[in-house]
Amino acid sequence: MKKIYLLFFFVISTGTYAQEYEITGKVIDETTKEPLEASTIYAETIQDSTMVSYSISNQNGAFILDLNTSEKKLNLFITYNGYQPVKKVLSLNKKKIDFGEIALQLQAEQLEGVSVVGERVPITIKKDTLEFNADSFKTRPDANVEDVLKKLPGVEIDSDGKITVNGKEVNKVLVNGQVFFSSDPKVATKSLPKEIIDKIQISDSKSKTQEFTGDDGDGENKTINLTIKKDKNKGYMGRAAAGYGTDDRYQANGILNYFRDKERVSVLATSNNINNAGFSFDEIYDMVGNTNGGYSFANDNGLINNYGRGITTSSSIGASYTNAQKDSYEIDANYFFAYSDSYDNQKSVRENLLPEGSFFTNSESRFDGSTNSNRGAANLEFDIHETTRISLEPTLSVNRVNSANISETTSTNTDGEVSNSNERQTISDGMQRNFSNQLNIYKKLDTIGKFFRISLSNNNSLNDNESNFKSTREVFGNNPSTESVDQMNLSDNKRDEYEFETAYRQPLGNKYFLDFEYQWSTQTNQNRRDVFDFDDTTDAYDNFNSVLSTNYEFRNIQQKPSFGIRRDGEKWRWRVNAEYAFTDLKNSDFLQTGSFERNYKNLLFNASSSVNFGKNKRLRFNYRSNLRIPSVGQLQPVPNISNPLNIVQGNPDLSLTKNHRVYINFNNYNWRERTGFYLYTGGEVEEDKVVSVTTTDEDLLRTTTFTNVDGNYNMYFGFGYTKQIKKDSTFTAKLNFRPNLRYNNDVSFNNSRELVAKSFSVTPYLSTTLNFNELLEIEPAYRITYNNTKYNIDSFEDVEFVSHTASLRTTTYWPENVVWGNDINYNYNGNVSADFDKDALFWNMSLGYQFLKKKATFKVLAYDLLNQNNNARRSTGADFIQDFQSTVLTQYFMASLSFKFDQFGGKKPNSGRGRYR
């Protein structure tokens, strides 16, 4: 306890004598006298150039720079992209200092998009990019990219490493404009050291077409580009870690990157049984398992299949190569091999709502599965002329998948009497092969926006599967019966997709353009499933079941001519587009009587608008309409008995579903106050949505088919507020408040009666990050969710439940070389049934010691210290209320050793001594 007191005394005493000052002025163009909006004004200490504070000028060129410092003199810099910077010595002899008008002179020679200044500008606002100087933000000497991102205004990083900028998720992190090993942003943010980073550039994510034409992104997601310092852009960087613990828990991973300007070679390997993909390196929490089965990149690309549940043991190895030459080519390619095993025990209690009342379905299951995967991919771009670009994106994967699923289900009435039961076992073994490619050819036809694009793409897959299905269904009551099934299913599925698209843009002056597009696509699914019943007389699966077997070809051909007009401008941009969709569906059934043809014609509209109110405020509007084609299972009139208590059969008369989506977003950031505010709202209306139509008989046995219905819609609203506080160089704080509301209207049918469920949820969320002199970081957060569901049938009671989530993460970097981390989460679900755990206090603790000049870390980790982890949760739908719980990682203790080895620019990086940057 004495050491803790000393730590707080040191933190507080370092900022005791700081005083507050206010610096004002107005930045103008020396020649035109016009105000320069978004000029950067910042102050540094004279002795070591440590940044004290910064600000941004408003639309009138005026600025207010707030200082909190014990220094008596500072260097003051005024900069604007394309202008010569101005430097002044600031004598802090009074609380308020006004510089009046400060004139900047145009730079004599200025490269487009490059700010040629001798000093470090902490932030530069360009047309569509925020650029931060990494060295201007104070962090620990051994910090990684994620540590410096947390210091940036408007940037938030949650406990899983998810990055948002003013509420928009970051879906790409590039290094020198190129993908860093994978599409998972955490690989770069947790692996790269901050000391090699020069600039951090944040912009709207763009498609390949938008990158070529220079169009703005749609604003749905953000991209972060990390530029490497010139003297650090040659060398190698490596990370390796290994740990072993109780219950035979283990993890080992390593990554090696070689840089040479634009060329990079990376190799990665990992193996663990704690649900961790191991594709990033967090020196504090790295050996912490993932309770949600995360895997991000690995799972999204089919490398590691944890089936979204349970505990996974996995091993993988991969390599990637990137290279680029300006105005010539840009390439990246990767290959991965992965193996994974998963197991999971699940339990659920589901109340099924009927017009006449309700009944309960209780299920318990055991799942085991494994995946053996190979995947190779490349992204190739060639600029064969200054006006012509060709890109290729091939991907090839081969997966071997097998699984075993055993379940027991019982149905009971409201009195607890058992009406039926079912025991099922499915054992399957399959092979999946997939090849996809996209070829794009872009051609600029002039310098004012006229261009032409041709796109060809394909996606071809084969899925062969052999499965053994056994089931015993018992019906009790007045007419008891027992039905057993023992079948072998042989499936051979083939899907071929091809698409051709061409686009042309015609300028109508400097701001207006006409867009013409034509898209043709075809998708063919060839599905053959041979079902053989077990024959007791031959003791073999040789009794062909023609009722359940299928052999069909389903083809979908679409043509979409479209026409649009757009306006591009610095302050206001908008786009309106109309397309006419011709859809032809044809199903040829060679075994059943399920052949049919359908033709549809639909007029669709899309529109978007973006208005900039200065450099800091933006309002966006987006409307989209699209079509959703029913799945083959929803169309095919063949019984599916995989769940004998609910036989499902498709409806070939289904129509297409038409979606209408509206989204509005407003962003504002006040650079002086360090406050950010964003607001969003939107909704979706579904015409002819495909919904289930279920009939339940007196024995609680169900049959389900599908129909189209109107009346399904949802709405949502939310906002976010962030506030950054900095007191001298000793204390920083970030406050984050994000409430949101959601309303859903879901329509379905049960026993010939329409069911309407109106659900409403509200979720306030509050978090903060407190940092004391880079020695102590505290991150508390709290979320409460209120849910209410009402039904259109008087006999149904309203369903209300509240869930609470509170978390606290603390990290202490004191005494020197000692890192102590705590990650505590409390979850409470008050309305789950008695068979489920209502709450859990989930606590992970890590204690590490750094040595060898902070290149090595020995760490002891306690996972689920109190042994309370669970994932019990409640959900509701149009005709059900369900409580669910499955297998999660539980308590283990692990010791690990990690090591960093870097060398850049022919020199090894510093040992972490010296002032914080």
Side-chain angles (χ1 to χ4, degrees):
M1 185 62 70
K2 184 178 179 181
K3 291 182 177 180
I4 299 297
Y5 289 149
L6 289 174
L7 171 62
F8 277 99
F9 175 77
F10 171 75
V11 169
I12 295 171
S13 64
T14 55
T16 302
Y17 301 105
Q19 298 186 52
E20 294 184 352
Y21 303 91
E22 183 181 278
I23 314 301
T24 59
K26 180 178 181 180
V27 187
I28 63 172
D29 183 290
E30 182 181 61
T31 304
T32 66
K33 306 303 179 183
E34 292 291 323
L36 296 178
E37 181 188 0
S39 298
T40 304
I41 302 93
Y42 62 103
E44 291 183 346
T45 59
I46 294 176
Q47 62 271 26
D48 62 2
S49 299
T50 298
M51 188 184 71
V52 177
S53 185
Y54 68 91
S55 186
I56 302 294
S57 64
N58 63 18
Q59 286 179 287
N60 300 317
F63 68 86
I64 301 175
L65 178 66
D66 294 316
L67 301 175
N68 188 301
T69 181
S70 57
E71 300 289 331
K72 297 303 180 184
K73 285 188 177 183
L74 296 171
N75 285 329
L76 182 69
F77 298 91
I78 303 93
T79 68
Y80 188 81
N81 194 34
Y83 286 72
Q84 293 181 10
V86 170
K87 175 182 177 182
K88 294 179 180 290
V89 176
L90 180 61
S91 298
L92 300 174
N93 48 23
K94 52 184 179 180
K95 295 296 184 179
K96 293 187 177 182
I97 301 174
D98 184 11
F99 279 93
E101 291 186 345
I102 302 173
L104 300 188
Q105 184 180 2
L106 276 171
Q107 193 83 29
E109 292 185 7
Q110 174 70 23
L111 297 177
E112 183 180 355
V114 180
S115 180
V116 184
V117 295
E119 289 73 27
R120 295 179 306 277
V121 182
I123 178 173
T124 301
I125 300 179
K126 300 180 179 180
K127 178 186 176 184
D128 59 354
T129 303
L130 276 175
E131 183 177 270
F132 297 93
N133 187 340
D135 282 343
S136 296
F137 296 87
K138 176 184 173 182
T139 59
R140 295 175 293 105
D142 59 335
N144 59 21
V145 169
E146 182 176 279
D147 295 323
V148 70
L149 287 177
K150 290 181 178 180
K151 307 292 183 182
L152 304 184
V155 179
E156 298 293 333
I157 303 178
D158 66 15
S159 59
D160 295 324
K162 177 184 173 182
I163 309 168
T164 57
V165 179
N166 289 329
K168 297 293 186 179
E169 183 177 354
V170 173
N171 63 344
K172 286 192 294 185
V173 173
L174 309 177
V175 178
N176 284 343
Q178 297 171 281
V179 174
F180 184 78
F181 204 89
S182 81
S183 58
D184 184 359
K186 295 187 291 294
V187 178
T189 59
K190 289 183 177 292
S191 301
L192 291 174
K194 177 232 179 178
E195 66 176 327
I196 73 169
I197 304 300
D198 182 21
K199 298 292 190 296
I200 301 171
Q201 300 165 340
I202 302 176
S203 61
D204 291 337
S205 296
K206 294 185 177 184
S207 65
K208 286 186 176 295
T209 301
Q210 290 168 338
E211 290 176 356
F212 179 75
T213 60
D215 291 344
D216 294 315
D218 57 16
E220 294 296 320
N221 297 103
K222 295 288 185 179
T223 293
I224 292 179
N225 181 46
L226 308 171
T227 65
I228 306 296
K229 294 176 181 176
K230 291 183 179 180
D231 61 337
K232 304 288 187 181
N233 206 17
K234 183 179 180 181
Y236 61 84
M237 180 200 75
R239 302 287 186 270
Y244 187 79
T246 57
D247 296 330
D248 291 326
R249 296 295 176 200
Y250 69 90
Q251 174 161 319
N253 49 44
I255 185 171
L256 178 65
N257 293 279
Y258 170 75
F259 296 85
R260 189 176 64 183
D261 298 325
K262 291 286 188 177
E263 186 177 29
R264 186 181 71 251
V265 179
S266 303
V267 178
L268 177 147
T270 178
S271 182
N272 72 89
N273 61 358
I274 58 173
N275 280 8
N276 195 335
F279 285 179
S280 60
F281 289 79
D282 187 325
E283 295 179 355
I284 304 168
Y285 299 104
D286 189 35
M287 297 294 165
V288 173
N290 191 316
T291 60
N292 298 317
Y295 289 97
S296 54
F297 166 78
N299 197 34
D300 291 345
N301 290 278
L303 295 170
I304 294 174
N305 194 348
N306 73 327
Y307 301 91
R309 56 196 180 184
I311 297 176
T312 298
T313 299
S314 65
S315 297
S316 60
I317 186 170
S320 74
Y321 174 81
T322 64
N323 200 355
Q325 183 174 320
K326 187 177 180 180
D327 299 326
S328 181
Y329 63 85
E330 183 175 322
I331 60 175
D332 66 78
N334 61 70
Y335 167 78
F336 287 91
F337 169 79
Y339 176 82
S340 62
D341 277 311
S342 297
Y343 72 89
D344 182 39
N345 294 325
Q346 292 187 357
K347 177 175 68 173
S348 68
V349 175
R350 181 177 180 132
E351 182 180 3
N352 303 278
L353 307 177
L354 301 174
E356 308 82 23
S358 63
F359 70 95
F360 295 87
T361 303
N362 301 318
S363 299
E364 292 189 8
S365 64
R366 164 76 187 195
F367 175 87
D368 293 273
S370 66
T371 304
N372 192 319
S373 306
N374 291 269
R375 180 182 183 274
N379 187 356
L380 314 173
E381 287 189 2
F382 302 95
D383 291 331
I384 60 177
H385 186 267
E386 61 181 7
T387 64
T388 308
R389 174 178 295 173
I390 296 177
S391 69
L392 283 168
E393 297 179 79
T395 301
L396 177 66
S397 64
V398 179
N399 303 328
R400 181 69 180 263
V401 180
N402 55 70
S403 63
N405 199 339
I406 301 173
S407 66
E408 297 181 4
T409 304
T410 59
S411 299
T412 61
N413 59 27
T414 53
D415 296 325
E417 299 172 341
V418 178
S419 297
N420 58 59
S421 67
N422 176 239
E423 295 183 2
R424 284 181 290 165
Q425 174 183 285
T426 304
I427 300 175
S428 63
D429 184 13
M431 178 71 76
Q432 302 168 352
R433 286 156 287 187
N434 181 268
F435 172 72
S436 64
N437 187 32
Q438 183 165 350
L439 166 67
N440 292 298
I441 303 175
Y442 307 93
K443 175 69 176 178
K444 291 181 180 179
L445 302 176
D446 61 19
T447 59
I448 60 173
K450 184 188 294 186
F451 81 93
F452 180 73
R453 173 176 62 87
I454 293 177
S455 176
L456 296 170
S457 63
N458 66 279
N459 191 340
N460 309 98
S461 64
L462 294 172
N463 188 350
D464 299 327
N465 188 73
E466 179 179 308
S467 64
N468 177 229
F469 175 68
K470 295 182 179 180
S471 170
T472 300
R473 186 184 74 178
E474 292 187 84
V475 178
F476 308 96
N478 296 328
N479 300 301
S481 64
T482 300
E483 180 179 294
S484 296
V485 175
D486 187 359
Q487 296 174 337
M488 184 66 68
N489 293 268
L490 305 178
S491 298
D492 182 6
N493 299 327
K494 181 181 180 182
R495 188 183 75 237
D496 294 302
E497 299 178 22
Y498 298 93
E499 183 176 297
F500 167 79
E501 186 176 355
T502 182
Y504 171 77
R505 177 173 296 171
Q506 174 64 47
L508 299 176
N510 294 328
K511 293 183 178 180
Y512 293 91
F513 303 87
L514 295 179
D515 287 330
F516 302 89
E517 291 189 16
Y518 173 78
Q519 182 186 92
W520 178 89
S521 63
T522 177
Q523 176 183 326
T524 303
N525 291 302
Q526 294 177 319
N527 185 307
R528 177 167 181 170
R529 183 180 65 181
D530 294 331
V531 179
F532 295 91
D533 293 318
F534 185 78
D535 192 330
D536 292 328
T537 59
T538 62
D539 197 30
Y541 294 95
D542 54 10
N543 188 4
F544 182 72
N545 190 321
S546 60
V547 176
L548 299 180
S549 297
T550 59
N551 184 7
Y552 66 86
E553 180 181 275
F554 178 76
R555 177 169 294 180
N556 166 26
I557 299 178
Q558 277 194 323
Q559 299 184 70
K560 294 181 180 179
S562 66
F563 167 77
I565 184 171
R566 62 188 297 144
R567 180 190 189 275
D568 288 343
E570 185 175 344
K571 294 188 178 298
W572 184 33
R573 302 189 307 272
W574 54 262
R575 177 177 64 87
V576 177
N577 175 272
E579 69 177 35
Y580 203 82
F582 300 86
T583 306
D584 298 323
L585 304 182
K586 181 178 180 181
N587 188 75
S588 302
D589 200 314
F590 308 110
L591 189 60
Q592 309 288 348
T593 57
S595 298
F596 59 86
E597 290 188 39
R598 297 288 182 272
N599 305 103
Y600 308 91
K601 297 177 182 180
N602 299 91
L603 180 62
L604 305 174
F605 292 97
N606 296 282
S608 64
S609 179
S610 176
V611 182
N612 294 325
F613 303 94
K615 297 288 187 179
N616 308 324
K617 301 178 185 178
R618 177 183 290 181
L619 176 65
R620 291 182 182 271
F621 166 82
N622 189 282
Y623 165 76
R624 293 180 181 175
S625 60
N626 60 8
L627 299 175
R628 186 165 64 241
I629 299 172
S631 67
V632 176
Q634 292 171 331
L635 291 167
Q636 188 76 8
V638 178
N640 182 340
I641 65 165
S642 58
N643 180 2
L645 302 183
N646 185 14
I647 308 300
V648 179
Q649 185 166 323
N651 175 10
D653 296 323
L654 291 176
S655 299
L656 306 185
T657 299
K658 190 174 183 180
N659 293 341
H660 304 269
R661 294 187 178 94
V662 175
Y663 177 76
I664 301 173
N665 171 257
F666 175 76
N667 273 276
N668 181 27
Y669 197 87
N670 186 317
W671 295 100
R672 184 206 170 190
E673 301 292 339
R674 301 291 194 273
T675 58
F677 175 79
Y678 61 87
L679 179 148
Y680 61 91
T681 184
E684 179 184 15
V685 176
E686 298 175 279
E687 295 182 36
D688 286 329
K689 181 180 179 180
V690 177
V691 300
S692 60
V693 179
T694 301
T695 302
T696 305
D697 65 17
E698 60 182 6
D699 296 317
L700 304 184
L701 299 176
R702 288 167 289 165
T703 57
T704 298
T705 185
F706 304 93
T707 191
N708 295 103
V709 67
D710 291 331
N712 287 275
Y713 61 90
N714 65 75
M715 297 178 288
Y716 55 89
F717 170 81
F719 69 88
Y721 173 81
T722 62
K723 171 70 175 177
Q724 190 176 42
I725 301 170
K726 181 178 181 181
K727 295 295 184 182
D728 202 2
S729 59
T730 60
F731 171 76
T732 59
K734 264 190 176 183
L735 177 67
N736 185 17
F737 180 52
R738 296 199 310 260
N740 67 80
L741 301 89
R742 187 172 185 91
Y743 178 82
N744 288 274
N745 193 85
D746 295 317
V747 180
S748 64
F749 291 90
N750 208 315
N751 282 2
S752 303
R753 181 84 178 268
E754 183 182 75
L755 295 182
V756 180
K758 302 177 183 291
S759 59
F760 171 78
S761 68
V762 56
T763 305
Y765 174 77
L766 179 66
S767 69
T768 186
T769 300
L770 309 174
N771 189 289
F772 300 90
N773 207 40
E774 299 302 324
L775 297 176
L776 173 64
E777 189 166 80
I778 304 174
E779 301 172 78
Y782 175 70
R783 175 187 284 110
I784 180 172
T785 301
Y786 167 77
N787 293 272
N788 177 278
T789 303
K790 297 182 178 181
Y791 298 92
N792 66 325
I793 297 179
D794 295 336
S795 59
F796 291 176
E797 295 183 359
D798 294 352
V799 178
E800 292 187 10
F801 60 94
V802 178
S803 60
H804 302 262
T805 301
S807 64
L808 175 65
R809 175 175 280 203
T810 65
T811 310
T812 304
Y813 302 92
W814 189 86
E816 186 178 3
N817 297 324
V818 175
V819 183
W820 179 32
N822 290 272
D823 191 4
I824 305 170
N825 288 271
Y826 175 74
N827 294 285
Y828 177 80
N829 296 282
N831 286 62
V832 295
S833 58
D835 294 334
F836 296 82
D837 298 322
K838 293 181 181 296
D839 66 344
L841 183 61
F842 183 48
W843 186 356
N844 299 324
M845 181 185 294
S846 170
L847 182 63
Y849 178 74
Q850 297 175 318
F851 56 100
L852 296 179
K853 299 181 179 181
K854 296 190 176 182
K855 293 299 181 187
T857 301
F858 176 77
K859 180 171 58 181
V860 178
L861 169 76
Y863 179 87
D864 190 15
L865 187 63
L866 304 180
N867 201 25
Q868 294 188 19
N869 188 27
N870 74 70
N871 63 355
R873 61 183 182 269
R874 166 161 286 195
S875 60
T876 62
D879 59 355
F880 71 88
I881 304 166
Q882 178 173 281
D883 296 327
F884 173 87
Q885 188 170 331
S886 66
T887 300
V888 295
L889 276 172
T890 54
Q891 185 185 78
Y892 67 85
F893 300 88
M894 182 176 288
S896 65
L897 180 66
S898 60
F899 187 71
K900 300 186 292 187
F901 46 98
D902 307 324
Q903 184 169 325
F904 303 103
K907 298 179 181 179
K908 293 185 178 181
N910 64 61
S911 61
R913 305 184 180 215
R915 62 185 178 90
Y916 285 167
R917 301 299 281 155

